[in-house]
Amino acid sequence: MAIQYFREMTQQEPSNAEGFYGMVRCYFKMLACGIGSPCDAYRRFQRALNRAVAVGGWTAQIHTDMAWGLWLVEGNFEEAQTHLDISLKADPWRASPHMCQALIHASHKRFDAALESLNRARLADPLQASLSASEILVRLCRYEWQAAVELGMEAVKIHPYLHFERTYYAQALEFAGDIQEALAQYRN
């Protein structure tokens, strides 16, 4: 398991921030995917993040990870946005902060701003695995079923193993009225 690898790395080299950064990313993925107890995963995420900052300082990625946690778990949009602003100023050519910003916009029903953020994310990294899932979700929020279906069809061709993309694609198919294909996608 990746967390165990990073834990061992930090035990062998306590001054190596990369191990703590890796643990932060793993705990974030657990939170985002609903794996295990969210409270436990968030505590571990915060502990690893604090340790990463203590050892290696604030990086653009750590600011982004902090923003994700603040938004996803705490619902603290303002502080999340502050961390995203710092991250984007430090390194505007990373997809992750733009994607986080897009989902914050979408959660406030600012769908045009969400799509603009996703376009910036696509410029930064057009093959970012969860980019398509985020765009499908925003299209679903805008009630753009056909656009979501088209995005989903392409997404599962490029990243057939990502369950978020496939699930959002299935939802788009369902909302567009193609129940049989939606069921097929849900079963995949």
Side-chain angles (χ1 to χ4, degrees):
M1 182 180 225
I3 291 175
Q4 186 59 35
Y5 168 80
F6 291 120
R7 190 174 294 128
E8 290 171 8
M9 178 189 268
T10 60
Q11 289 168 350
Q12 293 171 3
E13 296 181 63
S15 63
N16 182 348
E18 294 303 316
F20 294 108
Y21 292 145
M23 289 171 66
V24 169
R25 297 302 300 153
C26 289
Y27 289 123
F28 167 70
K29 294 296 183 191
M30 290 175 68
L31 283 166
C33 296
I35 299 170
S37 161
C39 293
D40 181 54
Y42 192 53
R43 273 193 300 277
R44 291 172 188 250
F45 167 86
Q46 289 175 309
R47 202 172 320 134
L49 190 138
N50 290 335
R51 199 63 192 116
V53 170
V55 173
W58 284 97
T59 65
Q61 184 59 54
I62 286 293
H63 277 290
T64 301
D65 292 335
M66 183 66 161
W68 279 111
L70 288 166
W71 169 70
L72 186 65
V73 179
E74 295 184 26
N76 186 337
F77 303 107
E78 292 77 22
E79 193 174 346
Q81 188 60 56
T82 299
H83 282 280
L84 286 175
D85 291 342
I86 294 167
S87 178
L88 288 166
K89 185 175 181 182
D91 186 1
W93 289 105
R94 288 179 29 263
S96 183
H98 293 294
M99 290 171 46
C100 183
Q101 194 166 52
L103 294 177
I104 289 173
H105 286 313
S107 65
H108 283 94
K109 298 182 180 180
R110 297 189 304 250
F111 302 123
D112 291 339
L115 290 175
E116 289 172 18
S117 292
L118 289 172
N119 286 335
R120 287 191 293 276
R122 182 166 277 105
L123 288 172
D125 184 358
L127 294 177
Q128 168 70 28
S130 54
L131 178 60
S132 295
S134 298
E135 188 170 359
I136 296 166
L137 178 61
V138 171
R139 297 292 179 180
L140 288 172
C141 291
R142 290 172 59 118
Y143 303 101
E144 296 175 354
W145 314 139
Q146 194 54 44
V149 166
E150 290 168 12
L151 286 165
M153 192 179 312
E154 287 304 309
V156 297
K157 288 178 188 173
I158 297 170
H159 300 289
Y161 53 87
L162 291 179
H163 68 279
F164 282 131
E165 288 180 347
R166 191 168 298 279
T167 300
Y168 293 152
Y169 176 40
Q171 286 178 332
L173 287 163
E174 183 179 350
F175 296 155
D178 192 345
I179 303 301
Q180 292 308 312
E181 185 58 26
L183 284 171
Q185 292 302 320
Y186 282 129
R187 289 182 180 127
N188 276 336

